[in-house]
Amino acid sequence: MFTPNKLAISAVGASLLALGSVATFTESAAALNKRPVPVANTAGSDDAISLQDLLNQITLSGPGIDVENDQKPFDLFTNQSSGASENTLLFEIAGFAPENVFGIYKADNPSFRVPIFIGDNDQGDAASVFFLADNSVGVSTLAFPPEFPPVADPNFQIYEDFGNMFGYYLTNPLGETFFSEDRLNTNNAAQGLIFQGDDQTVLQAPGRQPGVFSDNEFIIAFEDKLVGGSESDFDYQDFVIIAESITPKSTPEPATLAGLGLFAGAMAVSRRRKNSRKS
């Protein structure tokens, strides 16, 4: 009778562990958005200012941001800082601008939405999102009108049982809500584009001093009509913010797959030894 040795037992255990890791990898990777997607007017035009043009205008130096080639597949985020995630409204070039609502939603419950910016917010306004120890989040929005001192929103809002894994959403005045997870949108439409800082490009957000676009900062650019629908113009400059102190949801490194290969090899050796002894 074949008795597995310690090496075989270790290989089996390691293989089971690897299979669990690969399941996690597959599940996580499958949830990521497929990118890049086309963006209209990337070369600019006479009758409309493109997302590329807008980002070029706030870029002072460095590699800059290519609105197609620099798209990231990220769909969900978590907080990175022990403090707040700061969000600044960069652009809102849309007919729906007076009524659009932008915010975050709970990762496992897209109907649980926390508004950050509403239609009466202006370019340069800022919002702080606090992820608290009791799983609630607090939101405070600060307006920066050009001709007045900053005006704090007196209604600091607390939302209980939200957690700290979230996506971004945009609701237009037609009652349509679009999500940073493509799979939640009609026809899996890509409604939001994500760009991550490269630690080299220097940006100047409206009303702010210049600063390096760091790797814990992300530009989120939304289209406020259904992409692929008859009304969509694919310009992705309807609502654009820059968020800091967040990080994409974690996914296992590709090395996990390499590890699986090693474990699978060990299992194959074990099986061959067993078959040989039976012979």
Side-chain angles (χ1 to χ4, degrees), residues 16-71:
L16 291 174
L17 177 61
L19 288 172
S21 299
V22 169
T24 302
F25 179 92
T26 303
E27 180 182 0
S28 300
L32 293 176
N33 297 326
K34 294 181 179 179
R35 295 294 184 268
V37 297
V39 179
N41 299 320
T42 53
S45 67
D46 294 332
D47 58 353
I49 185 166
S50 68
L51 177 61
Q52 186 67 71
D53 292 334
L54 291 166
L55 295 178
N56 289 346
Q57 288 177 6
I58 65 170
T59 299
L60 300 184
S61 64
I65 303 166
D66 185 306
V67 297
E68 290 195 358
N69 294 325
D70 291 340
Q71 294 174 25

Side-chain angles (χ1 to χ4, degrees), residues 179-209:
F179 302 91
S180 56
E181 291 178 273
D182 292 359
R183 66 184 185 86
L184 299 178
N185 299 320
T186 301
N187 300 325
N188 297 314
Q191 297 294 148
L193 303 182
I194 310 293
F195 305 95
Q196 183 175 17
D198 57 10
D199 285 327
Q200 299 178 65
T201 297
V202 176
L203 302 179
Q204 184 165 19
R208 306 293 194 275
Q209 291 288 343

Side-chain angles (χ1 to χ4, degrees), residues 49 54 91-97 123 224 235 237-240:
I49 185 166
L54 291 166
F91 320 111
E92 191 179 7
I93 315 297
F96 287 157
Q123 188 180 33
D224 67 359
D235 57 18
Q237 33 80 304
D238 297 322
F239 210 104
V240 185

Side-chain angles (χ1 to χ4, degrees), residues 79 106 112 114 130-138 158-165:
N79 66 299
K106 187 174 182 179
F112 189 168
V114 174
F130 302 86
F131 296 92
L132 306 177
D134 62 359
N135 283 326
S136 62
V137 297
I158 291 287
Y159 300 83
E160 298 180 348
D161 299 321
F162 185 86
N164 68 338
M165 183 70 75

